[in-house]
Amino acid sequence: MVDFRYHALSLAAVLCALAVGVLVGIAIGDSSLVSSAQDGLVHKLRGEVRETQHELKLSGQTLSEQQTLADSLWPLAVHGLLQGRSIGIVFLGEPSNEIDSLAQGAVRAAGGKVKAVLAVHEPLDASAMAKQLSGTRYAALPSDPRLLGRLAQHLGGEIVSGGRLLERVRTQLLGSYDGQVGQLEGVVVVRAQPTGMTGAQVSDSETLESGLLAGMLARGIPVVGVETSAGEPSQVPWYKSAGLSSVDDLQSVGGRTALAYALAGYRGAFGSKSSADAQLPSPASAPARTCTASRC
């Protein structure tokens, strides 16, 4: 007798095996499709990476060529601009070897010479300075804060033109000193107040700095505030408020070119920061012809 239950179970087993086979086949097929798609995507990405790397290499070569060209041409752009002029570099606060080197390079390339490099000591010791000013009206400096601004303006003028008062207070006023003050035809100013000063010390330093700059500007020479692109916080707003031209990217060829022109009398805020008026001076900012103590 035929056992229908046996045949039913056998048929069910066959159908189940068939279903499993179909599913396995589909899975294998899908895996192959996914693997193929992945291989295609990887190949495409590798091609795009190679293409990008090639473009970056070409761009780097172009930039390098342009930098080399700029380095070669910028001395020609400033040649003779400061011929024979004596320039001073004044640090208000902490000096910087980097900025000193960059500024001196710009002056030399334009035919000028750096005659003096000074660093104004901050915070100011008014009592010690008053002792050096014994016998003058500035001896009352500690008790009469109004005298500080007047003294600073007087000293700023003597940094440019020379004078006996500056010699008397030099050891207290200047943290470092190299060269000779007097008969300067341009000044580079770098402001970097030291950290950790009290509110009263900051106030005195600002009075001292403003007075020094006012005294320099009163001599009728170009005074230019500088910094590098990395300088933070930027001192350009302060330079502007003091009536100075400025350069905010001294580390670049454009910045050193702008400094040479600014020392020649071109006015403006030059550089790459948002506070700059332009990258380089324009003919519209050319200085009027003026006479100085040594030339006309």
Side-chain angles (χ1 to χ4, degrees), residues 94-119:
E94 298 178 346
S96 164
N97 291 332
E98 178 191 14
I99 293 182
D100 182 26
S101 177
L102 291 170
Q104 292 210 37
V107 171
R108 286 194 299 268
K113 57 183 178 180
V114 175
K115 189 177 180 182
V117 180
L118 318 174

Side-chain angles (χ1 to χ4, degrees), residues 168-189:
R168 291 186 64 170
V169 301
R170 190 176 72 180
T171 56
Q172 284 298 324
L173 178 68
L174 304 178
S176 61
Y177 177 92
D178 184 30
Q180 183 179 2
V181 298
Q183 302 306 311
L184 300 180
E185 298 167 274
V187 176
V188 180
V189 172

Side-chain angles (χ1 to χ4, degrees), residues 254-267:
R256 295 192 294 279
T257 302
L259 174 58
Y261 275 89
L263 286 171
Y266 285 73
R267 298 282 302 164

Side-chain angles (χ1 to χ4, degrees), residues 77-294:
V78 300
H79 178 71
L81 200 60
L82 301 174
Q83 190 63 43
R85 297 193 186 187
S86 297
I87 305 298
I89 301 176
V90 177
F91 291 92
L92 300 177
E94 298 178 346
S96 164
N97 291 332
E98 178 191 14
I99 293 182
D100 182 26
S101 177
L102 291 170
Q104 292 210 37
V107 171
R108 286 194 299 268
K113 57 183 178 180
V114 175
K115 189 177 180 182
V117 180
L118 318 174
V120 176
H121 179 71
E122 296 181 1
L124 177 72
D125 187 340
S127 297
M129 186 173 287
K131 291 180 181 179
Q132 294 181 318
L133 294 169
S134 176
T136 73
R137 60 173 175 161
Y138 299 114
L141 187 63
S143 59
D144 188 353
R146 295 173 299 176
L147 290 176
L148 179 57
R150 299 170 192 169
L151 172 63
Q153 189 165 343
H154 190 120
L155 293 173
E158 290 197 359
I159 287 175
V160 174
S161 302
R164 289 178 295 180
L165 199 63
L166 179 61
E167 287 300 316
R168 291 186 64 170
V169 301
R170 190 176 72 180
T171 56
Q172 284 298 324
L173 178 68
L174 304 178
S176 61
Y177 177 92
D178 184 30
Q180 183 179 2
V181 298
Q183 302 306 311
L184 300 180
E185 298 167 274
V187 176
V188 180
V189 172
V190 190
R191 187 180 191 235
Q193 286 188 340
T195 58
M197 292 195 297
T198 66
Q201 289 172 332
V202 170
S203 179
D204 285 348
S205 290
E206 291 177 348
T207 300
L208 175 66
E209 293 167 350
S210 297
L212 289 172
L213 294 185
M216 294 177 198
L217 290 170
R219 298 299 193 216
I221 65 168
V223 182
V224 186
V226 302
E227 65 186 21
T228 64
S229 296
E232 290 296 339
S234 174
Q235 299 300 320
V236 171
W238 189 83
Y239 293 146
K240 284 184 175 181
S241 69
L244 276 60
S245 292
S246 63
V247 175
D248 68 34
D249 56 352
L250 191 62
Q251 83 290 343
S252 71
V253 171
R256 295 192 294 279
T257 302
L259 174 58
Y261 275 89
L263 286 171
Y266 285 73
R267 298 282 302 164
F270 308 113
S272 56
K273 295 181 181 179
S274 59
S275 54
D277 302 324
Q279 183 74 43
L280 291 169
S282 67
S285 63
R289 184 175 176 81
T290 58
C291 296
T292 66
S294 61

